[in-house]
Amino acid sequence: MKTKIFIILTSIIVASCGSIRPHDASNYQQDLIAPEETNSFVLAKSSIFDEPMLGIALKYDNKQYPTDIINIYIYPIDTISWEDTDEIIAIEMKDIRDEIDLAVEHGHYKARSEESIEAFNFKTGDKSYSGQKSSFMLTDKNDIEYFSNSYVFINKDKYIKFRTSFDSRATVKWNGDTAVKEILPEITVPGESEYMRNLRAEHQKEINQELIELLFQATKEPQPSP
């Protein structure tokens, strides 16, 4: 069961507005390994967010098709456990869809088509990768259509999310599979940070306290007569 870190995270975000990135959060600049270049793609930009839950964003350019959009987001899993990776990935994929729908609602895009969702598994050398892929069409405010995909994987305590879009005027019907297969095997993410470890431990304590209070209330309630 997925237990999101809501109350603690909200209070931290409010308290950290305008502040610098916590020193005990993941050090992506030092500990993240991501390829500067692959056969087809080259790293164009990286952005580390001050809010630790947002992680880091990487932008890659396609050497042959400069209009392609290849964005990667690496950020902590917002739960205290993630043993059921299929469920965690499925829920995150739904959250991604909701984010896109919100962008449509706010006018950043005109429309999104119905998406198809499938498992996305591949092997490189002796390493296997398992995630999910969604595919859909995006229409922008100028009625230009984009072939678009989202991919979600889990590595250590991090999500690795790919968002790819391809201008239908500049390319054949395309997807981000090549980008994922070239870039993902070259990525090494930092382990769980002290910041996230403390956040999860605090949230676990709150859950335990709530369970104790529920049990205490249950013992105080009058029992039905036999």
Side-chain angles (χ1 to χ4, degrees):
M1 178 179 179
K2 183 174 184 183
T3 308
K4 280 178 172 284
I5 303 171
F6 282 126
I7 299 174
I8 298 175
L9 175 58
T10 303
S11 63
I12 289 174
I13 290 176
V14 171
S16 63
C17 288
S19 65
I20 61 173
R21 182 176 174 82
H23 67 88
D24 56 352
S26 290
N27 188 336
Y28 293 101
Q29 190 169 8
Q30 174 180 296
D31 299 327
L32 174 71
I33 299 174
E36 293 286 339
E37 186 175 1
T38 68
N39 288 336
S40 306
F41 306 96
V42 59
L43 180 62
K45 183 181 179 182
S46 65
S47 303
I48 299 173
F49 298 99
D50 285 341
E51 168 49 51
M53 292 300 294
L54 299 180
I56 184 172
L58 307 172
K59 180 182 182 299
Y60 281 84
D61 288 340
N62 188 327
K63 297 176 184 178
Q64 282 190 290
Y65 301 99
T67 60
D68 290 357
I69 300 171
I70 314 291
N71 291 320
I72 303 171
Y73 304 91
I74 300 168
Y75 51 100
I77 297 170
D78 56 346
T79 65
I80 57 176
S81 64
W82 50 93
E83 288 84 0
D84 189 344
T85 56
D86 289 342
E87 180 190 10
I88 296 293
I89 287 175
I91 294 173
E92 187 64 17
M93 186 64 82
K94 180 184 180 302
D95 289 346
I96 292 169
R97 182 189 65 197
D98 291 344
E99 290 170 4
I100 294 169
D101 288 344
L102 189 61
V104 172
E105 183 181 329
H106 288 175
H108 300 294
Y109 300 103
K110 190 172 183 179
R112 171 184 71 82
S113 72
E114 189 71 24
E115 83 278 14
S116 63
I117 299 177
E118 59 188 308
F120 189 82
N121 307 316
F122 68 99
K123 189 172 183 178
T124 299
D126 60 350
K127 290 186 176 181
S128 297
Y129 301 88
S130 299
Q132 274 195 7
K133 168 187 174 181
S134 66
S135 305
F136 47 91
M137 295 291 293
L138 277 177
T139 305
D140 73 8
K141 293 179 288 187
N142 298 314
D143 289 324
I144 299 170
E145 291 188 322
Y146 291 84
F147 308 117
S148 193
N149 305 102
S150 296
Y151 304 78
V152 179
F153 301 88
I154 287 177
N155 191 320
K156 299 177 184 175
D157 77 320
K158 306 288 192 300
Y159 289 115
I160 302 179
K161 176 176 74 177
F162 283 73
R163 281 285 295 112
T164 62
S165 293
F166 310 94
D167 189 334
S168 61
R169 302 169 303 171
T171 183
V172 295
K173 189 171 184 179
W174 196 241
N175 60 42
D177 292 5
T178 299
V180 173
K181 290 179 178 180
E182 283 193 23
I183 299 170
L184 182 60
E186 303 298 321
I187 291 177
T188 300
V189 303
E192 184 182 36
S193 67
E194 182 181 351
Y195 176 90
M196 286 305 302
R197 187 161 49 249
N198 292 338
L199 191 63
R200 291 180 177 122
E202 189 63 32
H203 190 51
Q204 182 65 67
K205 279 199 285 187
E206 288 196 357
I207 292 172
N208 293 343
Q209 184 61 39
E210 288 175 3
L211 289 173
I212 291 171
E213 290 175 1
L214 287 172
L215 290 171
F216 180 71
Q217 290 297 325
T219 61
K220 291 176 62 177
E221 291 178 1
Q223 298 301 312
S225 302

